[in-house]
Every structure is written in structure tokens, then in C-alpha cells.
Amino acid sequence: MARFFRFDARRALSTLFFALVATACRIICPPFDAERRFRPCGRALLTTNAPISDGLLDEKPPSSFLLPPSSFFLPNLSDGPLMTNIPAPPPGFLAFTGKSSDGSRQEQFVIAKDGILGHFRDARNKTKQMEGFLVPEVLRHPSAIWIDLLSAGKRDWMVYAGVPRGKFLQDPTIEIPCPPGQVFAVYIGGRRATSGHLVVDSWEWLEADPQRSDFPIDHASRYGRRLWTQH
Amino acid sequence: MDSALTEFLGFLKEGLADTGPFTAKPYYDAPGDTLFYFARDEQSYAKRLNPLLTVFLATEDDSLVGFKIKGVQRILRRMERMGMERFVLDHQKENVHLTIFLEFALVAPPDDPATASFEGSIGQFADVVVDTRELQVT
């Protein structure tokens, strides 16, 4: 009996040792590729699974892909942070995940291929296309989220602002530091797509608030209510 | 990484693979009722001049890279009230010089008097033409 317990303890210690070594290896040498920044980073919002149980997502899309403004705040699409039954984006749209406006879970976003992204592509504006790589990152890890932009017709619009880990130069394999004193802002339209997705409208760099380097300048006078803040 | 994100990144990479020359042309974003214009393919940041006009300045040297005009439909309605024939180009009935939209947008005083100097720089875009058919809300 005593030998059995001794063997069991040794095996447990051995398992623990290898688990620690494996964890250390992953921390010291993470797999490198240009797209790793978009992988879930173990933050709380990316950790659980819950199915979408919202009837609105089962609707067949009408001719317009947008829902009326009143539907901006849909009931929670999931009970938990991670959406597993991701609805298909409307035709002509590209989808990706980000943080929900209250910061509690994952949210689905889409962007039109023939919207401003398509324009930058047609115009061969490589700088603005390159900035597109930062959009999913800032939507996943914003510094803060505001609603009700104080511009005409932008009520119910949201802005996700954040400082990406780096920006890309010339092509997505060359990453350089972000411009100092600037914050990346992604604007979300005030109407959801019929598929339930939030719709990315545009993005730009803004000067940072001198008092708070991860917030855009004049955020208090430009935007309405702050829905979520990282710190 | 989820397949949807892969598709998005693939779309971006596909666009970047096009090595053709940059073309400066206006773009009307109907959901935001905003007219964008980038004159150069250069790293820029947005600086608001007034409630209607935001300029994009080069990160490198603060020179003017482009701008966006908000409230385009309201400007169009004003133009229609005054008679669209005053604004369209003679030889192309649907086209309007971008500078007309800029002048309407500049009616509002600058938020910060220090940014007033950019109002003069915007004159360099006077010859850019906007096809008003592209400004119709669908």
C-alpha cells in the first residue's frame, strides 16, 4: 500500500513538472506569425462557451441589411462571454469578433467589402488598408468604448478607441511602434446588420488626450456616454 | 484564429497585393453621411476643424493629406434650394467641384482658432470633382 502511494505521488510530481515546463515554453517562445495578435489572449471575455439564443438572428434578412436604429441594443446574444454559434455575415460583408459594448463578452462585427474598405482598395490606398489590420485588435482590446457621437446624425454610433501593440509598415509582416501620442479609433454605425452583427463604418488615428494617453483628445466633448473602460 | 477573421485578413492582403498606383478620389460613406477624400497615400491622423470638417494631417510633418466632410445631405439640400445649376459644372451636369462642399463646411467657425490655417491649405483640392449621383442615399 505504501509503495502504491509513493508511486502515485511521484507520477503526480512528474506530471506537474512537465505541465510547468510546457507552460514556460509557451510563455518564452510563443508561436510566431503575423496573425498571432488576433488569437484569443486568455482574457476573461474569451474564455467560456455559450450558444446564441436570440431569435433575431434567425430572421431572414430583408432587402436592407440594416435593422432600424431602435434595435441597436439587442438583448444579450449570449449568456456568457464567448459566442460559439457565430451567425453568418450578410452577403458582401466580412466578419470578426471584438468586445461587446459593455465589455462583458464577445461581440460580432462586420464590415462591408464595398464600403470604405472597398474604396481604399480601389484607390490603392495602402496606408488605410494597412490600418485595417488594426481594426479587429482595437475592437478586441479597446481602451474605452463610447456611445452617441456628438456629430449630426451619429446618435447611437459607437467609437472603440485603443492603442494597438504596433502598426504595420508597407506590408503586414513589418510591424513598427504606433505613432506616439495617438490613439486608433474605430467607428461603429448606429444600426446593427440584420444578422445581428455590429457594423464597422470607418477608422482613423486621433491625437491622444494629454491627460490620458489611451483616450482620444476631447473625448468628453466629442462623444456621449462612456460604456466601458479598460482601467 | 477563426475562419471569418482569416477571410477578413485575406481580403486585406489581397488588396495590398495590388501594386498599381494610388488614385486620389472622393468617397461618400452613406451610413455616416460623410464625404472622405485622401489626396495622398500617407500615414495620417484626424484633426477636427469644426463640427462639419475634419482634416487628415500627415503624421510625419502635419501637412494636409485629406479631409472628411460630415452632413453631406444637408449641404446638398442647401445647394438644391439655391439651385443646383449654380454649382454643377457646365459640361458635366452631375459633377460638382469638391471645393463647394468644402466652402459650405467651412461656414462653421473652427473649434480651435489655431487650426484656422488649414482652411487656406484646403484650396489645393479646388479642382477635385464629385459626382453627385454617388451622393444619393440608396
Side-chain angles (χ1 to χ4, degrees):
Chain A
M1 193 64 177
R3 280 185 65 182
F4 173 77
F5 278 119
R6 208 165 36 242
F7 170 75
D8 198 40
R10 195 179 299 154
R11 193 170 63 171
L13 280 172
S14 169
T15 306
L16 183 64
F17 172 76
F18 282 115
L20 285 171
V21 169
T23 307
C25 285
R26 287 193 61 169
I27 292 169
I28 295 165
C29 307
F32 180 82
D33 65 72
E35 291 160 355
R36 74 173 190 271
R37 61 164 60 205
F38 301 116
R39 290 184 180 142
C41 303
R43 296 191 186 192
L45 75 159
L46 302 170
T47 51
T48 66
N49 295 324
I52 298 169
S53 58
D54 194 301
L56 284 169
L57 299 179
D58 302 327
E59 286 179 359
K60 288 185 178 169
S63 55
S64 167
F65 72 90
L66 294 175
L67 289 169
S70 58
S71 63
F72 186 80
F73 287 107
L74 291 174
N76 274 349
L77 297 179
S78 66
D79 296 324
L82 183 64
M83 296 166 68
T84 50
N85 298 336
I86 297 170
F93 283 74
L94 298 158
F96 41 81
T97 55
K99 191 185 283 290
S100 65
S101 58
D102 63 0
S104 66
R105 59 192 161 80
Q106 272 195 345
E107 180 69 89
Q108 294 296 308
F109 296 80
V110 288
I111 183 165
K113 286 182 183 176
D114 63 355
I116 200 162
L117 183 59
H119 165 71
F120 292 142
R121 190 177 163 132
D122 290 345
R124 300 186 194 89
N125 189 332
K126 294 198 183 303
T127 308
K128 295 303 288 184
Q129 287 184 80
M130 207 72 77
E131 287 175 4
F133 285 98
L134 307 179
V135 171
E137 184 185 349
V138 168
L139 291 180
R140 284 189 178 200
H141 307 302
S143 315
I145 304 166
W146 287 266
I147 192 164
D148 293 338
L149 308 191
L150 303 181
S151 298
K154 299 280 174 68
R155 190 174 162 77
D156 287 340
W157 281 53
M158 291 194 291
V159 58
Y160 281 57
V163 182
R165 292 192 320 189
K167 73 182 189 79
F168 296 108
L169 186 69
Q170 303 300 327
D171 71 66
T173 61
I174 305 171
E175 192 173 345
I176 61 169
C178 291
Q182 291 187 16
V183 174
F184 194 72
V186 181
Y187 299 102
I188 310 297
R191 299 167 67 184
R192 282 181 184 262
T194 48
S195 56
H197 295 83
L198 290 170
V199 183
V200 173
D201 181 76
S202 57
W203 55 88
E204 63 196 12
W205 287 98
L206 295 168
E207 290 172 288
D209 183 338
Q211 310 299 322
R212 175 92 199 234
S213 63
D214 54 346
F215 281 14
I217 194 166
D218 297 334
H219 56 86
S221 59
R222 286 183 183 180
Y223 315 137
R225 193 159 45 99
R226 192 159 75 218
L227 297 173
W228 183 84
T229 310
Q230 188 178 26
H231 301 297
Chain B
M1 191 166 55
D2 62 73
S3 61
L5 179 59
T6 306
E7 194 184 342
F8 172 69
L9 299 179
F11 186 82
L12 288 174
K13 286 177 184 171
E14 201 179 283
L16 290 165
D18 183 348
T19 54
F22 167 75
T23 315
K25 52 184 176 182
Y27 170 73
Y28 177 60
D29 174 50
D33 190 23
T34 303
L35 188 64
F36 287 84
Y37 183 73
F38 286 90
R40 288 185 281 149
D41 179 8
E42 200 169 313
Q43 177 67 53
S44 64
Y45 67 96
K47 192 173 188 70
R48 182 178 135 132
L49 287 196
N50 67 34
L52 293 181
L53 185 61
T54 296
V55 290
F56 297 110
L57 303 177
T59 306
E60 190 81 8
D61 58 6
D62 278 352
S63 60
L64 194 61
V65 170
F67 56 84
K68 65 177 179 182
I69 301 171
K70 289 174 258 184
V72 170
Q73 292 303 318
R74 188 172 167 79
I75 293 175
L76 267 180
R77 283 198 295 275
R78 292 279 153 188
M79 289 164 71
E80 281 165 3
R81 269 175 62 171
M82 295 168 73
M84 207 60 180
E85 67 282 357
R86 292 169 186 261
F87 303 105
V88 292
L89 297 174
D90 288 341
H91 56 290
Q92 293 165 307
K93 296 291 184 194
E94 307 290 352
N95 293 346
V96 174
H97 276 307
L98 190 53
T99 191
I100 305 285
F101 288 94
L102 280 168
E103 291 302 325
F104 272 97
L106 283 169
V107 167
D111 294 346
D112 175 3
T115 61
S117 60
F118 292 112
E119 294 186 5
S121 315
I122 285 169
Q124 65 185 276
F125 305 127
D127 292 335
V128 177
V129 168
V130 180
D131 186 338
T132 54
R133 287 171 297 188
E134 293 178 11
L135 305 182
Q136 305 309 315
V137 179
T138 52

